[in-house]
């Protein structure tokens, strides 16, 4: 995962366990593979007025997650009646090294 700190300060703790991103010791856990699509996905993570960590915009940004588009593997199978190989497309597992996490300092 590519991590960028946007400004100076104290940041929300996070851990990446496989494809699961845990924020603030598990207060919010995101299975990033579930958000993967055929196009880039951007997630905003914020803190609301009650102090809860929420997915989406709220009162204070704490992180942004950018997930790259789903990658596929194309394999050639048996030829059809005209001699052309039958192609099959299968999704590759999420490449967590390509995920970008941008952290914003917490409000003190």
């Amino acid at each position: 995962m590519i991590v960028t700190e946007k400004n100076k300060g104290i940041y929300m703790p996070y851990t990446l366990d496989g494809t699961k991103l845990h924020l603030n010791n598990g207060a919010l856990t995101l299975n990033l593979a579930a958000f993967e699509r055929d196009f880039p996905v951007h997630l905003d993570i914020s803190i609301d007025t009650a102090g809860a960590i929420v997915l989406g915009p709220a009162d204070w940004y704490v992180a942004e997650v950018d997930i790259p588009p789903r990658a596929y593997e194309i394999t050639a199978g048996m030829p059809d009646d005209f001699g052309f190989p039958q192609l099959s497309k299968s999704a590759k597992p999420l490449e967590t090294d390509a995920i970008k996490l941008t952290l914003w300092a917490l409000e003190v």
Side-chain angles (χ1 to χ4, degrees):
M1 185 164 49
I2 302 163
V3 179
T4 304
E5 295 174 349
K6 207 60 167 163
N7 51 2
K8 291 185 180 188
I10 299 171
Y11 305 98
M12 180 167 294
Y14 69 92
T15 56
L16 183 65
D17 180 21
T19 62
K20 292 184 180 165
L21 177 63
H22 304 280
L23 296 163
N24 202 22
N25 302 316
L28 178 66
T29 299
L30 302 172
N31 182 357
L32 300 176
F35 289 96
E36 188 182 30
R37 300 290 184 266
D38 290 339
F39 49 86
V41 174
H42 177 85
L43 304 174
D44 291 322
I45 301 161
S46 307
I47 296 177
D48 66 9
T49 53
I53 303 168
V54 296
L55 182 61
D59 296 313
W60 190 263
Y61 274 118
V62 292
E64 297 173 331
V65 179
D66 290 297
I67 304 169
R70 182 178 289 129
Y72 290 94
E73 184 174 342
I74 307 291
T75 55
M78 299 295 295
D80 63 11
D81 294 339
F82 300 102
F84 295 104
Q86 297 297 302
L87 302 178
S88 63
K89 176 172 128 174
S90 58
K92 293 182 179 181
L94 177 62
E95 182 69 37
T96 54
D97 291 340
I99 293 173
K100 294 178 183 174
L101 174 65
T102 304
L103 296 171
W104 297 83
L106 297 172
E107 185 176 42
V108 182

